[in-house]
Amino acid sequence: GFWDGLLEKFLLPLAVRDGGAVRVGLVSAIAGDAAALRRVLADFHSQGAWLVLNAGDTLGSPRASTKTIRILRTEGIVSIATDRDRQLLDGRSPAITEGDPKGLRSRRRQSKDTRRFIRTLPSSLRLSLSGKSILLTSGLPDIPVFCFDETTPEEGLCRIARETGASVIVSGHRHAPFSRGACGSIFVHPGSVGREESEPFASTATLLDIASDGSVTVTPHTLTTGTPCWSTEGPR
């Protein structure tokens, strides 16, 4: 519980506003796109979200990863590392490089700072915000937390809710915004901030609001080159 306590003491004062309401920015799948991450963070800040949680899939090319890690450190973004992030460093799975020379080069050339940063990150992290337990995860032993979407049966979500005991479960393995409620828990995929390819791409992210009365609102967000588009969804 050391990290949980540390985060609550030092980061929560940045997020909690009058009446105990909390607004949190949720990101995932940055893929080394530092420019897209800066745009999303600027928009989060304009919306009053100063605490940002990163559900992983952070790394891209070596140079891009270095810039991205610098932003995460400077902005104090709370992050976890996924298997993909660690595979880019260690090459433990052939799936990340088989038929993908670019992925192999990325793994071999990631900087020492990037390696050091990713290896210090947990695969799951819990925070307590305004009485709500937030689980940021890339998967727990024997609990396929990352395997949920609109096709997941209700009983599957309820099992995860019971076994984790979390009010909000955030995973980044699905790169489109998604939220769904079941058995008192809310399941969220934040979206995809960036991608390694150079073609035009609209970043997606999510705002999580916890009101003073304990109600929770999930707001997916698409950030294009024009005006950001917010659409409120999800259980309250």
Side-chain angles (χ1 to χ4, degrees):
F2 172 77
W3 284 112
D4 294 352
L6 191 65
L7 290 170
E8 191 152 2
K9 287 180 180 178
F10 290 98
L11 292 179
L12 296 195
L14 299 178
V16 176
R17 296 292 184 262
D18 294 341
V22 176
R23 170 164 283 186
V24 182
L26 304 176
V27 299
S28 63
I30 300 169
D33 193 337
L37 178 59
R38 288 191 188 97
R39 289 194 296 269
V40 169
L41 293 179
D43 196 67
F44 276 163
H45 294 168
S46 73
Q47 298 289 331
W50 294 93
L51 177 61
V52 180
L53 307 182
N54 169 29
D57 283 359
T58 299
L59 300 184
S61 68
R63 182 177 298 178
S65 295
T66 298
K67 294 178 181 178
T68 300
I69 297 305
R70 188 177 300 122
I71 295 172
L72 296 182
R73 283 174 165 164
T74 301
E75 296 291 330
I77 296 174
V78 180
S79 302
I80 61 171
T82 62
D83 286 344
R84 179 188 181 277
D85 291 322
R86 293 195 168 92
Q87 287 165 356
L88 279 173
L89 297 182
D90 302 327
R92 293 175 300 170
S93 169
I96 199 69
T97 58
E98 188 173 359
D100 182 10
K102 181 179 179 181
L104 181 60
R105 290 195 299 272
S106 295
R107 185 195 76 210
R108 287 176 173 170
R109 294 169 50 211
Q110 295 289 350
S111 70
K112 290 182 179 179
D113 284 346
T114 296
R115 291 172 181 268
R116 186 179 300 114
F117 180 82
I118 293 297
R119 287 173 177 163
T120 63
L121 298 180
S123 59
S124 297
L125 185 65
R126 286 181 183 267
L127 301 92
S128 177
L129 303 174
S130 292
K132 301 293 183 180
S133 173
I134 312 298
L135 175 62
L136 189 67
T137 182
S138 61
L140 295 173
D142 303 319
I143 305 176
V145 175
F146 55 89
C147 296
F148 61 82
D149 58 23
E150 59 274 358
T151 67
T152 304
E154 186 85 3
E155 59 268 24
L157 296 179
C158 287
R159 182 177 69 86
I160 296 172
R162 288 192 302 269
E163 294 187 12
T164 62
S167 306
V168 182
I169 300 167
V170 182
S171 174
H173 283 272
R174 184 179 184 272
H175 294 171
F178 168 84
S179 66
R180 183 176 169 189
C183 293
S185 295
I186 300 175
F187 297 79
V188 182
H189 287 298
S192 181
V193 169
R195 61 170 57 180
E196 294 183 70
E197 292 83 358
S198 58
E199 66 265 20
F201 175 70
S203 298
T204 54
T206 296
L207 278 178
L208 177 70
D209 285 288
I210 304 175
S212 55
D213 62 1
S215 61
V216 177
T217 304
V218 176
T219 309
H221 174 207
T222 299
L223 185 65
T224 63
T225 55
T227 303
C229 177
W230 292 89
S231 58
T232 302
E233 295 180 3
R236 293 171 179 253

